[in-house]
Each structure stands twice: as C-alpha cells, then as structure tokens.
Amino acid sequence: MSAPETPAPPARAGAEIGMMAVVLIWGANFTITKAALPYLPPLPFTAIRFAIATLALVLLLRFLEPKAAITKSTWLKLILIGLIGNTLYQPLFIFGLANTTATNCAVIIGSLPGIVALLAWLFRIERVSALVGSGIALSLAGVFLVVGANGVALGGNTTRGDLLTVAAVFCWAAYTLGLRRVDPTLSPLRITTITTASGAPGLILMGLPGVMSLNFATVPSGAWAALLYASLFSVVAAYYFYNTAVQRLGASRASVFSCLIPLVGVFVAWAFLGERPVPMQAIGATLVIIGVWMTRKR
C-alpha cells in the first residue's frame, strides 16, 4: 500500500489537533494509572476499564451514527485488530507499568514511532520518506534525553516490566498498521467501537476473578476517579482521536506524536510528584518538537 493521500488542510489539522489531545491524555495516564494500581490490581483495573469504555462507545455509536454495511472480511480485520491492540496489548502494558518504573515505561513506549515506521517500510504498507524518517529519528533521540536525563535503569528489578512493555509496543505497532488495512469509508467512531468491543471480552474474562474478590469498600475515591479517567479519556476519547489520525495522516505520521507523550509525562510528574525537570530534558523536548515538525513537511 502506498502512502496515504494528502488530506484536505482542515481534515489534516483536525487530526493533528486530535493527536495533541492524545499526547496530553496518555502523557498524564502514566501517573494517574500508577497511582490507582495499589488499590485496583492490574487485571481487575483493566477489566472494569474496558467494560466502561465499551459501553460508552456502543451508546455513542448508536446515538450518533446510523448503521453501516460492513463486509465479512472487514469484520474479521477489525476483530483481529481489536484482539491485538486490546486483549494482548493492555495486559502487557499494565503489567509492564506495574513491574518497571514510569521512566522506563515512557522511554520504551516512546520508541513506537520508529518501530511503526520500520514495520511500515518492511511490509510496504507506507512509504517513509527520508525527511519523515529523519524527523522520527530526531524525535526518538529527544525522547531518550527527556526521560533519561534522570537515569533509565534498564535491567535488574525492572527486567520483567521492561520486556513486557517492549512486547506491548510491538502489539500497538501492529494495531496501528492494521488500521491502515481497514476500509477507509468506515468512520473512526465505528472502527474504535468495534475494535474496543472485540478486545474487551478477553480482558473482562482475565480480570473477572480479581473483580469478584475485590473489596470495593476499601478502594478510595481517587482510585475510582483514575479508573474513570483511564476509561473515558484514555480509551474512548484517545482511541477515537488516534484512529482518526491514522486514517487521515497515515501510521508513521500519526505515531510520531507519541514522542511527545514522555515529555508530557515529565511535566505531570513535576506537577504532582515534585520531580523537577533538568536542562537536558529541555534540550530533548526541543529535539522532539523539531522532529514532529519535520514529519509534517510534505
């Protein structure tokens, strides 16, 4: 498949604004989710999260869009994408985050654009120009400076979490590229709903035993608020914006915005955890911004 057709300026601008919203939502999600895990273990947290998100998406689709005819092959693609991007990705990510540091998790997740671009080139899904490739490389260098300025302790006690997060990145890269194979006439909301609903049953089954044994009275209100944030913002809203961007901009250009997520994570940690940024992180942030700007050039 060749590179996506250049969308009209308003559509492209809308997709880029949506990706900036994704950056803010997912950048804060590291700190917010990490704070809830001591009270809501990973599997129950994920099960409840996707039950809420699926219900919200189904209701939105029912009231906002009429029914659309979908071929059998498209259904199978969407279900497979949902299984990879949710049933596989989510446990890998949540257990990775639970067994490594937020910094390690951020730097590994920040490698997503490079992996997406590489796989897109290897499987001839999208053309990656020299300028876009250079922008991705520059952004990745900035990511490592941003999250590694205070030290990234790969290995040791974090090895398990690091490896799980790496596996999660490859699952999300496959999810991202899979979206490029879906019928482009389908709306982003319908794609988001079907893929989320496809991945939810497996997650709910994995987390159901933990949910049944959970003492809800001991879970503080802050943990429930974090769960709602992770459900309605990190899944419903962010998945919709992300899927829209992949459809309109292409996988490589959409995923490069992920380089900004660790940058937001650093500032969220600064605001809520008192972790002050250092000068090296400012240099890294500048590289990330320049790299993302380079990928926008046609």
Side-chain angles (χ1 to χ4, degrees):
M1 182 181 293
S2 61
E5 295 182 2
T6 303
R12 182 182 173 188
E16 291 175 340
I17 292 171
M19 277 307 303
M20 290 306 300
V22 171
V23 167
L24 294 174
I25 292 169
W26 284 350
N29 192 59
F30 288 102
T31 298
I32 293 172
T33 298
K34 189 84 173 178
L37 292 181
Y39 310 100
L40 292 167
L43 287 180
F45 180 92
T46 304
I48 300 172
R49 176 190 187 190
F50 270 79
I52 294 172
T54 300
L55 177 61
L57 283 167
V58 169
L59 292 175
L60 284 173
L61 184 65
R62 180 175 180 181
F63 287 106
L64 295 180
E65 292 188 10
K67 292 183 179 180
I70 303 177
T71 64
K72 182 179 179 181
S73 62
T74 299
W75 270 109
L76 293 175
K77 287 179 183 177
L78 291 173
I79 291 172
L80 179 60
I81 291 169
L83 291 174
I84 294 172
N86 293 308
T87 309
L88 290 180
Y89 169 80
Q90 290 296 334
L92 289 170
F93 170 76
I94 198 73
F95 276 113
L97 181 59
N99 288 278
T100 189
T101 65
T103 298
N104 283 17
C105 191
V107 73
I108 295 170
I109 294 294
S111 68
L112 174 67
I115 294 173
V116 168
L118 177 62
L119 294 178
W121 176 73
L122 286 175
F123 291 100
R124 299 182 179 180
I125 296 174
E126 290 181 3
R127 292 193 301 268
V128 180
S129 69
L131 184 63
V132 172
S134 299
I136 291 171
L138 193 63
S139 295
L140 288 175
V143 167
F144 277 89
L145 288 179
V146 168
V147 301
N150 290 323
V152 178
L154 295 174
N157 295 331
T158 68
T159 299
R160 181 187 178 194
D162 296 335
L163 293 176
L164 288 172
T165 308
V166 169
V169 169
F170 275 92
C171 285
W172 191 256
Y175 170 89
T176 300
L177 294 173
L179 293 174
R180 294 289 297 129
R181 296 289 192 179
V182 174
D183 182 358
T185 63
L186 285 181
S187 72
L189 178 58
R190 192 169 300 276
I191 292 172
T192 304
T193 302
I194 295 174
T195 54
T196 302
S198 299
L203 296 173
I204 293 172
L205 286 175
M206 282 187 275
L208 189 59
V211 173
M212 297 296 292
S213 62
L214 192 65
N215 185 352
F216 290 90
T218 63
V219 180
S221 58
W224 291 119
L227 178 62
L228 287 176
Y229 177 92
S231 305
L232 300 179
F233 288 92
S234 295
V235 176
V236 175
Y239 274 41
Y240 170 77
F241 292 138
Y242 188 86
N243 294 347
T244 300
V246 171
Q247 192 178 64
R248 295 180 180 175
L249 304 177
S252 299
R253 284 185 173 87
S255 64
V256 77
F257 281 84
S258 301
C259 290
L260 294 168
I261 293 174
L263 175 60
V264 174
V266 167
F267 283 100
V268 171
W270 180 22
F272 292 95
L273 302 178
E275 298 178 2
R276 298 181 63 84
V278 298
M280 188 65 70
Q281 290 172 322
I283 297 173
T286 302
L287 294 180
V288 169
I289 293 170
I290 294 173
V292 171
W293 175 79
M294 287 173 63
T295 67
R296 298 182 70 253
K297 304 297 288 183
R298 295 283 175 175

